[in-house]
Amino acid sequence: MSIHAPEVANRIQLDERELPQRWYNIQADLPFPGSPPLHPATKQPVGPQDLAPLFPMELIKQEVSQERYIDIPQPIQEALRLWRPTPLMRATRLERELKTTARIYYKYEGGSPAGSHKPNTAVAQAFYNKAEGTKRLTTETGAGQWGSALAFATKIFELECMVYMVRISFEQKPYRKSMMRVWGAEVVPSPSDRTQAGKRIRAENPDSTGSLGIAISEAIEDAAGREDTKYSLGSVLNHVLMHQTIIGEEALVQMERAGAMPDVVVGCVGGGSNFSGLAFPFLRDRLGGRSKTRFLAVEPAASPSITRGKYAYDFGDTIGMTPLLKMHTLGHAFVPDGIHAGGLRYHGMAPLVSGLADHGFIEAVAYPQRTVFDAAVQFARTEGTIPAPETAHAIRAVIDEAVKARERGESPTILFNFSGHGLLDLAAYDAYFDGTLSDVTLSEARIQELVGSL
Amino acid sequence: MSIHAPEVANRIQLDERELPQRWYNIQADLPFPGSPPLHPATKQPVGPQDLAPLFPMELIKQEVSQERYIDIPQPIQEALRLWRPTPLMRATRLERELKTTARIYYKYEGGSPAGSHKPNTAVAQAFYNKAEGTKRLTTETGAGQWGSALAFATKIFELECMVYMVRISFEQKPYRKSMMRVWGAEVVPSPSDRTQAGKRIRAENPDSTGSLGIAISEAIEDAAGREDTKYSLGSVLNHVLMHQTIIGEEALVQMERAGAMPDVVVGCVGGGSNFSGLAFPFLRDRLGGRSKTRFLAVEPAASPSITRGKYAYDFGDTIGMTPLLKMHTLGHAFVPDGIHAGGLRYHGMAPLVSGLADHGFIEAVAYPQRTVFDAAVQFARTEGTIPAPETAHAIRAVIDEAVKARERGESPTILFNFSGHGLLDLAAYDAYFDGTLSDVTLSEARIQELVGSL
């Protein structure tokens, strides 16, 4: 039994009065010009009026704002205090297990009602919609993390909520659907018969199991067609990433209190929001030349958009209804294979993350899922908490960094985002233990085919 | 939209250095003599040596200690810091929804790795066993909250863990079994073929779906038969309740900081441990004549041991292997119907809670499960977090108290224990919404029959 009294605090908790009062907008500090979204028909930069049918004006302003900081309205702060500030943990037990010379910290975002970081932006989006008179929000969801977060947030701010859930998840993962029901949202499997997009896809392929791109098409069509309804997206867009910076602003204070600033910041990436939420406030110092912190984005080998995709203009959805975004993409028609980290199954990457990666500020690495679950189980058996499969991608990279540090005799401080717990993903752990989990890796030939067509 | 800036803090978070350093042992302050456990064969008070095959000596000492405070060893504190101190929340949104004049606070115990208060004692029991050379622990579990907590704790302290899980839960609720697997425990359905008790019951009734009492019999037989193995119980016993007082000790500091001491303290009761954990430190002042706080234990109408059971000596298990405990009981042969609050399905009640109730210090109330789920959904739709069905019993009583306060024009402060989240109980919520949830209430005739035979 190797139990020692902790030499340092292994849990750093902020007081509720220390909740950050403003978000950090990294657009103000980019050392390169941004690439504006283009209208899908005209290929010209979109203006606020193009986006007005889908988003409230305040969010449209945030999307293009050059202000470094944006105040968080009081009602949003009050909602965030239901679970924030979140703890910063030092993974002392994992460090011992790895016999590493590295120090490992993680920001724990699994304590929100929906169990992930997603509510950080969901409550903000629900608030601004409510304030501008929206009655109803539509969205898409894959495994259900984002849908459940928005269901929670719309209930808090008294809006109706309509969730288009990727059909295969709707059928195979009933419990996040149950959560949405508890919070009063309507959930339908996508492709559905509620939209032209859904009907068209079902006519072409009655057995379609759906995809995130298809569900986005449906949610957008629904919102565009009703005066009282707007659309909400859980990642990718600038304002969404900005709402997540509350994670990193808290973590900065906590790391200072721990007396340890990170040498490397790690997060998993699907659309990019949890990674950005932790990383951007630390990137502020790197962009300003005040730190040499590394930033490591971790993606699944089944959907390796940064590591293997092309940096190009592409649609955010399958049908081609969204503006064109400059991003790392595997092509909007690409439907990633059914890995358990449903939140990482996206063909593209947030334009801000893509731009920063393209300019060398963000590194990326991709892992197949069995080695990711090895890391997940190692973490659960040392630190206790069972991570979501998405989060486990970050943990895989952190363990590899920590082992490298030991081998090199270095003592870096590693900080990662524990984006969500895995209590609604236990079937995936069963598959892992039963040996039925396959390593889904996008083949070289398929990558060439996908990227070549862009 | 009725969103106001909070007038008071709605989240009170202690620093990790404020983790309580000692447990409160209410046995030191009881104004009435305790009733000792009796040997099942001799009916004489059991001595330490009678219990030594099942428990490490330090826990046996704690079971009968008259010391008011017992220091929490550093390794246990370190394990507890993985999720403690836990937040105290003010339920301002629920208060508004109820238009109540009451102030409602809750202590949030759902943030532990296993999602409930159970790990508070699990890590303590695992530590003391490890320290005294135990290699392996056995236990029983119903829906799996306790089994998963012990699986987590034994992994932290490097012990093997064997869980006898009530067969119907083993088959119908796969995910807590998956959690135990993640933490490396062995889980078998009970009745099993691993023990004489299990074999006998299966011989009599091959289709037995099991019960908590049967699973206890199996776990005890397993532990008693192996030198390297001891047994661990998740509730009922004095030392278990004492380990949970860390909840109330934290809450006392937090309520002082909020400037509001509770007029009534509420918790759900199955064996009694989460209720006692919150209540006992506040009862210290009541027993000392320094407060008039009320204490309200909430039980299911399907298993109403305090409200309808007899205060008598009875066995803790079904077969009759445990010492006889003086407690409120419906008879050790009673198997409660299959309500969703699996953690409250127990025929007896902790002797300490029973004695305090018998002497008028604790009140009790029983609810059928549909009204309990009404309360659960109302809570989730205002405060966000989805409660476990067990916890929802406490919430039902809190809402009723808050509505009474409004009707009477009173402004009491209500504090309850949010013992666990409901993310592994979402099927029960589906049943509630589908209208298939039945109100299971023990009939008057059946109660007379059960109690008459004691």
Side-chain angles (χ1 to χ4, degrees), chain A residues 1-6 8-16 74-76 78-79 81-87 89-90 92-93 96 106 108 111-115 127 130-131 152 155-158 172 174-179 181-185 376-377 380-386 421 423-424 426-427 429-431 433-434, chain B residues 1-6 8-16 74-76 78-79 81-87 89-90 92-93 96 106 108 111-115 127 130-131 152 155-158 172 174-179 181-185 376-377 380-386 421 423-424 426-427 429-431 433-434:
Chain A
M1 184 169 50
S2 58
I3 301 299
H4 311 290
V8 292
N10 60 358
R11 180 183 183 85
I12 295 168
Q13 183 66 56
L14 300 179
D15 188 86
E16 80 156 9
Q74 277 298 328
I76 297 175
E78 195 197 349
R81 283 199 185 91
L82 287 172
W83 72 96
R84 305 201 74 87
T86 63
M89 304 289 299
R90 177 153 175 197
T92 46
R93 289 168 187 277
R96 271 179 234 150
Y106 61 97
Y108 183 63
S112 76
F127 167 78
K130 182 77 182 182
F152 154 69
K155 177 52 69 179
I156 290 289
F157 286 105
E158 299 169 22
Q172 292 182 352
Y175 293 124
R176 281 217 175 80
K177 184 174 62 187
S178 310
M179 291 174 80
R181 199 175 179 190
V182 170
W183 287 314
V377 170
R381 290 183 173 180
T382 49
E383 293 295 311
T385 303
I386 299 173
H421 65 63
L423 298 187
L424 289 147
L426 288 165
Y429 282 89
D430 280 336
F433 287 116
D434 292 340
Chain B
M1 182 171 49
S2 58
I3 301 298
H4 312 289
V8 291
N10 58 0
R11 181 184 184 85
I12 295 168
Q13 182 67 54
L14 300 179
D15 187 86
E16 80 155 10
Q74 278 298 328
I76 298 176
E78 194 197 350
R81 282 199 184 91
L82 288 171
W83 72 97
R84 304 201 73 89
T86 64
M89 305 288 298
R90 178 155 176 196
T92 46
R93 290 168 187 275
R96 273 179 232 149
Y106 61 97
Y108 184 62
S112 76
F127 168 76
K130 182 76 181 183
F152 154 68
K155 178 51 68 180
I156 290 289
F157 286 105
E158 298 169 23
Q172 292 182 352
Y175 293 125
R176 280 217 177 80
K177 185 174 60 188
S178 309
M179 290 173 81
R181 201 175 178 189
V182 170
W183 287 314
V377 170
R381 290 183 172 181
T382 49
E383 293 295 311
T385 303
I386 299 174
H421 66 61
L423 298 186
L424 289 148
L426 289 164
Y429 282 89
D430 280 336
F433 286 117
D434 291 341

Side-chain angles (χ1 to χ4, degrees), chain A residues 337-404:
Chain A
D337 280 326
I339 56 169
H340 284 281
L344 308 185
R345 291 180 63 224
Y346 186 63
H347 66 272
M349 180 53 56
L352 285 172
V353 174
S354 297
L356 286 159
D358 192 57
H359 286 80
F361 293 102
I362 292 173
E363 306 162 40
V365 61
Y367 288 105
Q369 68 180 349
R370 275 189 297 194
T371 186
V372 163
F373 274 85
D374 292 340
V377 170
Q378 191 167 25
F379 186 89
R381 290 183 173 180
T382 49
E383 293 295 311
T385 303
I386 299 173
E390 292 82 358
T391 306
H393 283 74
I395 296 171
R396 174 74 274 161
V398 166
I399 291 175
D400 288 356
E401 290 281 325
V403 168
K404 261 188 282 182

Side-chain angles (χ1 to χ4, degrees), chain B residues 48-386:
Chain B
Q49 287 317 314
D50 295 318
L51 298 172
L54 295 183
F55 301 106
M57 201 46 68
E58 185 57 34
L59 293 179
I60 294 171
K61 282 186 200 160
Q62 290 179 5
E63 188 64 18
V64 296
S65 171
Q66 296 297 314
E67 293 294 318
R68 183 167 288 115
Y69 297 102
I70 293 180
D71 288 342
I72 305 175
Q74 278 298 328
I76 298 176
Q77 291 189 37
E78 194 197 350
L80 291 170
R81 282 199 184 91
L82 288 171
W83 72 97
R84 304 201 73 89
T86 64
L88 177 82
M89 305 288 298
R90 178 155 176 196
T92 46
R93 290 168 187 275
L94 179 62
E95 289 175 20
R96 273 179 232 149
E97 165 95 354
L98 299 173
K99 297 183 176 63
T100 182
T101 42
R103 286 179 291 186
I104 302 174
Y105 289 87
Y106 61 97
K107 181 71 169 159
Y108 184 62
E109 292 292 308
S112 76
S116 78
H117 68 292
K118 291 289 189 190
N120 294 329
T121 184
V123 294
Q125 294 188 47
F127 168 76
Y128 288 118
N129 272 287
K130 182 76 181 183
E132 296 188 25
T134 306
K135 301 291 182 209
R136 177 173 174 272
L137 279 178
T138 67
T139 199
E140 71 290 333
T141 199
Q145 285 108 327
W146 168 243
S148 57
L150 193 68
F152 154 68
T154 49
K155 178 51 68 180
I156 290 289
F157 286 105
E158 298 169 23
L159 294 164
E160 290 174 53
C161 184
M162 175 74 185
V163 181
Y164 293 88
M165 185 172 187
V166 174
R167 186 172 286 269
I168 191 164
S169 296
F170 184 92
E171 286 163 2
Q172 292 182 352
K173 302 193 172 181
Y175 293 125
R176 280 217 177 80
K177 185 174 60 188
S178 309
M179 290 173 81
M180 295 184 243
R181 201 175 178 189
V182 170
W183 287 314
E186 186 176 2
V187 191
V188 295
S190 166
S192 76
D193 290 327
R194 305 285 187 103
T195 66
Q196 295 305 318
K199 283 179 195 164
R200 192 188 334 159
I201 287 160
R202 282 170 72 81
E204 288 165 11
N205 177 9
D207 298 327
S208 170
T209 53
S211 75
L212 219 40
I214 294 170
I216 293 176
S217 298
E218 289 206 275
I220 287 180
E221 182 187 323
D222 179 332
R226 281 181 59 166
E227 190 64 38
D228 65 347
T229 300
K230 293 205 184 297
Y231 167 72
S232 183
L233 188 66
S235 190
V236 178
L237 299 181
N238 301 346
H239 68 272
V240 179
L241 274 49
M242 185 188 75
H243 298 156
Q244 295 292 354
T245 60
I246 195 162
I247 302 172
E249 294 290 359
E250 287 178 7
L252 258 173
V253 176
Q254 290 165 311
M255 291 299 289
E256 280 170 5
R257 214 158 282 178
M261 290 311 274
D263 297 295
V264 54
V265 174
V266 183
C268 64
V269 286
S273 78
N274 95 73
F275 170 79
S276 302
L278 179 63
F280 284 1
F282 291 93
L283 255 163
R284 181 171 51 211
D285 278 355
R286 165 85 181 270
L287 294 174
R290 297 180 297 276
S291 92
K292 293 183 174 175
T293 304
R294 291 170 52 215
F295 297 89
L296 181 56
V298 190
E299 51 188 21
S303 184
S305 55
I306 305 181
T307 49
R308 307 305 310 274
K310 187 169 173 181
Y311 186 44
Y313 270 104
D314 195 9
F315 293 107
D317 69 329
T318 299
I319 298 284
M321 298 175 70
T322 70
L324 289 155
L325 302 172
K326 183 83 177 284
M327 61 181 176
H328 284 89
T329 178
L330 293 157
H332 64 276
F334 171 59
V335 177
D337 281 326
I339 57 169
H340 285 282
L344 308 185
R345 292 180 63 224
Y346 186 61
H347 67 272
M349 180 52 56
L352 285 172
V353 173
S354 297
L356 287 159
D358 191 57
H359 286 79
F361 293 102
I362 292 172
E363 306 162 41
V365 60
Y367 288 105
Q369 69 179 347
R370 274 189 296 196
T371 186
V372 163
F373 275 86
D374 291 342
V377 170
Q378 191 168 24
F379 187 90
R381 290 183 172 181
T382 49
E383 293 295 311
T385 303
I386 299 174

